[in-house]
């Protein structure tokens, strides 16, 4: 049998996820009437104000929750999430570190810490926490793989990123994004034909994932510039041009796509 707190907790987050704020407020009123949940009342008020976009009010309530119960890592995590949404990544990181000191095994704490480092362009630190997030979840999470791979690539560690994508594809062979990420990584290693194989696979799995079109176009473009056989260069430029036009049609990386299209047209004229 569920306790009253479990019931209230479940209903509160169900209502906030659906933006039913009056219903969520009623849950808090029930907590107040019970006289049992002094700390939790401030925590839930903080979470509710966050959902409403009242960030300073949310932080104020969470500070009151921390004053009552300073050992609850969820309060620091919630504060960090508000700062993160405000794009104050240094402040977010400060709160996530406090949460981490209290619970090192929480996947969300590790992932959000990693994302804060990623936005601060501290990729070495981000890699550590993305790896921890994956270990804590005990499963391959595509978002973690994506940002971990990006962090590795930002440090020029393309071979490591490639191994990461390969491992992830083995675990989730039907995910188009993983094939696209591997294809794009192969491009930076100048393995253009292999890159094209994985990008083509990604498009076959999800033909309407338009952002993959840009990966495909830029790969073909670079490939064309790297080959010396004139007929093959022309073929690759024409194919790249087709994919750049698709990118422009679907408003993908517009500035770069227009620039790429113009470069391909100039190359074909020459």
């Amino acid at each position: 049998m569920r306790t009253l707190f479990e019931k209230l907790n479940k209903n509160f987050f169900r209502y906030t996820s659906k933006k039913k704020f009056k219903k969520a407020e009623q849950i808090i009123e029930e907590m107040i009437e019970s006289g049992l949940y002094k700390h939790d009342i401030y925590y839930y008020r903080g979470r509710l104000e966050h959902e409403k976009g009242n960030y300073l009010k949310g932080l104020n309530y969470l500070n009151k929750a921390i004053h009552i119960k300073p050992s609850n890592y969820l309060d620091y995590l919630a504060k960090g999430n508000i700062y993160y949404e405000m794009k104050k990544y240094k402040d977010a990181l400060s709160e996530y570190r406090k949460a981490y000191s209290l619970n090192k095994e929480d996947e969300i704490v590790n992932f959000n810490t990693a994302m804060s480092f990623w936005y601060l362009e501290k990729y070495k630190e981000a890699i550590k926490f993305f790896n921890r997030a994956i270990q804590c979840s005990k499963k391959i999470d595509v978002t973690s793989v994506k940002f971990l791979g990006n962090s590795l690539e930002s440090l020029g560690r393309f071979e490591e990123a490639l191994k990461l994508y390969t491992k992830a594809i083995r675990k989730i062979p039907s995910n188009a994004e993983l094939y696209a990420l591997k294809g794009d990584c192969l491009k930076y290693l100048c393995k253009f034909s292999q890159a094209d194989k994985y990008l083509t696979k990604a498009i076959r799995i999800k033909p309407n994932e338009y952002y993959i079109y840009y990966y495909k176009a830029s790969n073909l473009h670079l490939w064309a510039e790297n080959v010396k056989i004139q007929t093959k260069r022309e073929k690759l430029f024409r194919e790249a041009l087709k994919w750049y036009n698709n990118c422009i049609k679907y408003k993908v990386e517009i500035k770069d796509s227009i620039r790429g299209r113009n470069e391909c047209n100039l190359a074909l004229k020459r």
Side-chain angles (χ1 to χ4, degrees):
M1 185 175 176
R2 285 189 304 171
T3 64
L4 174 63
F5 180 76
E6 286 171 335
K7 180 185 173 184
L8 294 173
N9 179 69
K10 183 178 180 181
N11 287 336
F12 176 84
F13 288 110
R14 181 161 59 87
Y15 291 138
T16 52
S17 67
K18 294 178 180 178
K19 306 296 181 185
K20 294 182 178 180
F21 299 134
K22 286 186 178 179
K23 292 274 191 183
E25 283 168 5
Q26 287 172 12
I27 297 295
I28 294 171
E29 290 302 319
E30 284 187 59
M31 287 183 174
I32 293 168
E33 286 171 15
S34 73
L36 297 172
Y37 311 112
K38 191 174 180 182
H39 161 268
D40 300 296
I41 289 162
Y42 287 123
Y43 173 72
Y44 286 110
R45 283 201 182 281
R47 293 293 301 268
L48 181 58
E49 294 301 333
H50 179 187
E51 290 297 328
K52 287 179 175 180
N54 300 327
Y55 299 137
L56 295 180
K57 276 188 178 181
L59 290 169
N60 186 44
Y61 280 123
L62 290 167
N63 283 332
K64 288 178 179 179
I66 289 166
H67 183 73
I68 295 167
K69 195 175 179 180
S71 61
N72 190 331
Y73 83 96
L74 290 172
D75 296 328
Y76 301 105
L77 175 60
K79 275 188 74 180
N81 291 344
I82 292 176
Y83 284 126
Y84 184 90
E85 206 156 305
M86 294 169 76
K87 298 184 179 179
K88 293 185 175 182
Y89 300 116
K90 287 183 179 178
D91 291 327
L93 196 54
S94 175
E95 299 302 326
Y96 292 144
R97 280 176 157 166
K98 292 170 191 173
Y100 179 77
S101 70
L102 294 165
N103 188 345
K104 293 179 171 60
E105 304 306 317
D106 187 275
E107 178 190 352
I108 296 170
V109 170
N110 282 285
F111 179 79
N112 290 5
T113 302
M115 286 302 304
S116 298
F117 276 125
W118 187 84
Y119 275 110
L120 292 167
E121 297 182 4
K122 295 184 176 181
Y123 300 116
K124 191 174 179 180
E125 293 89 342
I127 287 166
K128 174 188 169 183
F129 283 96
F130 281 129
N131 277 319
R132 281 200 58 83
I134 291 168
Q135 287 166 10
C136 291
S137 69
K138 296 179 181 177
K139 63 180 181 181
I140 291 290
D141 173 74
V142 174
T143 306
S144 292
V145 168
K146 176 182 176 179
F147 283 101
L148 173 55
N150 178 275
S151 300
L152 289 165
E153 289 176 28
S154 296
L155 295 174
R157 292 158 63 176
F158 294 105
E159 293 290 353
E160 288 178 64
L162 204 58
K163 286 177 183 177
L164 172 70
Y165 300 139
T166 302
K167 182 180 177 181
I169 287 168
R170 286 198 203 103
K171 297 279 186 181
I172 318 173
S174 60
N175 188 280
E177 187 169 16
L178 293 174
Y179 288 96
L181 290 168
K182 184 171 180 178
D184 199 46
C185 186
L186 284 161
K187 173 184 78 178
Y188 290 111
L189 290 166
C190 296
K191 297 179 179 179
F192 299 111
S193 61
Q194 287 183 54
D196 199 55
K197 182 179 80 171
Y198 283 97
L199 293 168
T200 301
K201 174 80 171 175
I203 291 167
R204 280 179 186 158
I205 294 170
K206 277 206 170 180
N208 296 324
E209 286 287 346
Y210 303 126
Y211 76 93
I212 300 173
Y213 294 177
Y214 183 74
Y215 289 173
K216 175 91 170 170
S218 61
N219 172 60
L220 291 164
H221 189 163
L222 283 172
W223 193 0
E225 289 178 344
N226 276 266
V227 297
K228 293 180 180 179
I229 302 167
Q230 196 62 32
T231 52
K232 187 170 183 179
R233 288 190 74 195
E234 185 177 342
K235 181 182 175 182
L236 290 168
F237 273 127
R238 288 194 185 283
E239 197 175 346
L241 188 61
K242 179 186 80 174
W243 288 104
Y244 278 131
N245 282 328
N246 278 328
C247 291
I248 294 162
K249 179 181 176 183
Y250 295 109
K251 297 180 173 59
V252 179
E253 301 288 346
I254 290 292
K255 287 183 180 178
D256 288 335
S257 295
I258 290 171
R259 188 185 302 115
R261 182 184 67 179
N262 292 342
E263 288 175 5
C264 287
N265 274 324
L266 282 170
L268 286 165
K269 283 180 182 176
R270 286 198 296 271

